[in-house]
Amino acid sequence: MENKEVLLELKGVQTYFPIKGGLLKKPTKFVQAVNDVDLTIYRGETLGLVGESGCGKTTLGKSILQLVKPTAGEIIYDFKDEFGKKDLRKLTNKEMDIARKNMQIVFQDPHSSLNPAFTIYQSLTDPLKKFGIKDKNQRRKIIGDILEAVNMRREYMDRYPHEFSGGQRQRIGIARALCINPELIICDESVSALDVSIQAQVLNLLKKLKEERNLTYIFITHDLSVVEYISDRIAVMYLGRIVELAETSQIFSHNLHPYTEALLSAIPIADLDRKRKRIVLEGDVPSPVNPPSGCNFHPRCKKCMDICKKDRPQLKKYIINSEEHYVACHLSENKLRENI
Ligand code: SF4
């Protein structure tokens, strides 16, 4: 991306959930869902956040939006003229209300993310009321316009969710996120519950809306084909930590981390003449209550060395093909490059 302008900066973000032992007992164990995440998100980009189920990607998205409270770290959002750069963790409730106007989420399940007892108008009107649009006719106009923007008819606003297909409901979910004009949208597995042909329609719609409205997306998914199609950069997460981060083309052509390599080897190839060696990861993802010492990935890594069991690798920056490429692995740069 040219002219990169930072929208959001995460520094050492941790989100732990206590495991309660009893009524009066203090928790002694924690689920370490997100651990020490440093990440920069640029205005106007789509950042794909990928990893296996349970790697902490959804918790990281919710931590950014303060839907779950991070335990430590800073989440600095640049509100520009509104109130400059602010750590979202330190905002008052009133400031957080204003901040929420800038940040919205599209959930995975279009069936449960809309209230079945509400018409589409009723589902979409509350955020508008909350952000100061008191006039009903004006709200109807905004909702009609936004429905048209997601390729639906404006009169659909008086219908109920059960009258729509899964793809249509997901488009309504996108319309609900868009109606208060946010700049950042977190899409949490937003196309995973849809058929492949409908996925393509929704992805194309998200791309179109991004261009038209200058949006920034964090696209959370376990599906690497989807993330390849939509993302400018990709961050790979494993057991609560980011292990690799680079431009999408770099991740697919010059990935460095053994975990990323294994994830990519599992993508099916349509062309029967092309073959890719499948890397099968042995064992399950370790428990985030007791993550392994050293490199979290070491019990499953075929390239594991002694140092990997003791020392945690930091996310280091490399320059590959003139692009910044971050990877957390003890393999030396030359060894990493042998992976390419
Ligand atoms: Fe594998 Fe060691 Fe690199 Fe971890 S640090 S990914 S165990 S080689």
Side-chain angles (χ1 to χ4, degrees):
M1 269 184 73
E2 285 165 21
N3 305 324
K4 289 176 177 178
E5 190 188 327
V6 174
L7 173 72
L8 186 64
E9 201 172 2
L10 278 60
K11 294 182 185 170
V13 174
Q14 258 183 11
T15 307
Y16 287 7
F17 298 103
I19 300 175
K20 299 217 167 88
L23 202 57
L24 298 172
K25 278 190 198 159
K26 273 193 171 173
T28 50
K29 288 186 173 176
F30 294 85
V31 176
Q32 302 176 25
V34 173
N35 226 327
D36 239 349
V37 167
D38 293 332
L39 189 61
T40 301
I41 289 127
Y42 299 105
R43 254 198 180 86
E45 79 165 334
T46 300
L47 177 87
L49 200 53
V50 298
E52 290 164 285
S53 297
C55 72
K57 49 194 192 309
T58 292
T59 306
L60 181 58
K62 288 185 176 170
S63 303
I64 292 171
L65 295 178
Q66 307 294 295
L67 296 176
V68 295
K69 287 283 172 205
T71 328
E74 294 175 58
I75 301 175
I76 299 164
Y77 194 101
D78 186 356
F79 292 96
K80 288 193 144 181
D81 302 338
E82 234 168 342
F83 35 75
K85 288 188 184 177
K86 290 270 183 184
D87 183 352
L88 298 181
R89 293 189 63 218
K90 294 187 182 147
L91 295 185
T92 61
N93 286 347
K94 202 170 165 208
E95 286 173 327
M96 196 59 217
D97 271 354
I98 302 171
R100 286 198 196 288
K101 185 173 174 294
N102 294 293
M103 301 176 287
Q104 289 294 305
I105 187 163
V106 179
F107 292 103
Q108 172 176 4
D109 185 357
H111 299 270
S112 58
S113 64
L114 292 167
N115 187 333
F118 283 3
T119 62
I120 304 312
Y121 168 76
Q122 286 169 323
S123 286
L124 270 63
T125 200
D126 277 350
L128 292 172
K129 256 196 240 170
K130 184 172 170 61
F131 290 107
I133 300 174
K134 304 282 178 228
D135 179 56
K136 188 178 175 191
N137 289 335
Q138 197 186 347
R139 289 201 302 273
R140 283 191 76 84
K141 174 165 185 337
I142 294 172
I143 291 168
D145 290 348
I146 207 74
L147 285 175
E148 282 184 351
V150 298
N151 303 337
M152 296 188 74
R153 288 161 56 179
R154 50 197 317 128
E155 55 267 29
Y156 286 176
M157 76 174 87
D158 295 316
R159 295 190 184 176
Y160 287 88
H162 73 266
E163 297 177 63
F164 298 100
S165 67
Q168 285 175 318
R169 268 189 285 230
Q170 195 56 302
R171 280 189 265 154
I172 295 165
I174 296 168
R176 183 174 54 183
L178 283 177
C179 67
I180 50 169
N181 229 354
E183 54 181 355
L184 171 68
I185 297 187
I186 298 187
C187 301
D188 185 7
E189 300 277 11
S190 302
V191 295
S192 308
L194 306 174
D195 293 342
V196 177
S197 60
I198 308 296
Q199 274 188 8
Q201 285 175 18
V202 175
L203 287 173
N204 287 333
L205 173 67
L206 286 168
K207 275 190 161 195
K208 179 183 93 127
L209 293 168
K210 182 184 165 219
E211 295 310 317
E212 286 172 1
R213 293 164 179 259
N214 201 18
L215 298 167
T216 304
Y217 291 143
I218 298 177
F219 205 92
I220 297 170
T221 181
H222 62 277
D223 188 333
L224 282 147
S225 330
V226 165
V227 98
E228 181 183 18
Y229 181 67
I230 196 150
S231 306
D232 299 305
R233 289 189 306 152
I234 293 177
V236 181
M237 276 188 90
Y238 184 77
L239 214 58
R241 294 174 186 270
I242 292 191
V243 296
E244 187 160 10
L245 167 67
E247 299 281 323
T248 301
S249 56
Q250 288 276 338
I251 290 283
F252 279 82
S253 60
H254 298 93
N255 56 80
L256 300 177
H257 197 282
Y259 177 60
T260 313
E261 193 189 7
L263 278 186
L264 293 180
S265 78
I267 302 177
I269 306 178
D271 183 350
L272 291 177
D273 294 333
R274 278 174 60 212
K275 288 208 165 53
R276 185 194 283 140
K277 192 173 155 239
R278 173 90 198 266
I279 300 168
V280 180
L281 290 177
E282 279 163 22
D284 292 328
V285 180
S287 163
V289 179
N290 288 310
S293 59
C295 171
N296 276 348
F297 186 55
H298 87 252
R300 303 170 85 193
C301 180
K302 291 205 166 62
K303 295 180 176 133
C304 177
M305 305 168 285
D306 284 345
I307 187 176
C308 306
K309 297 176 187 166
K310 287 183 257 155
D311 291 349
R312 190 171 305 289
Q314 299 302 314
L315 197 64
K316 274 203 229 157
K317 179 164 98 176
Y318 298 87
I319 300 291
I320 297 181
N321 297 340
S322 323
E323 303 278 5
E324 287 180 3
H325 197 128
Y326 295 82
V327 63
C329 179
H330 284 306
L331 289 171
S332 66
E333 188 174 356
N334 287 344
K335 281 258 175 67
L336 286 169
R337 281 169 182 275
E338 283 169 17
N339 278 359
I340 296 174

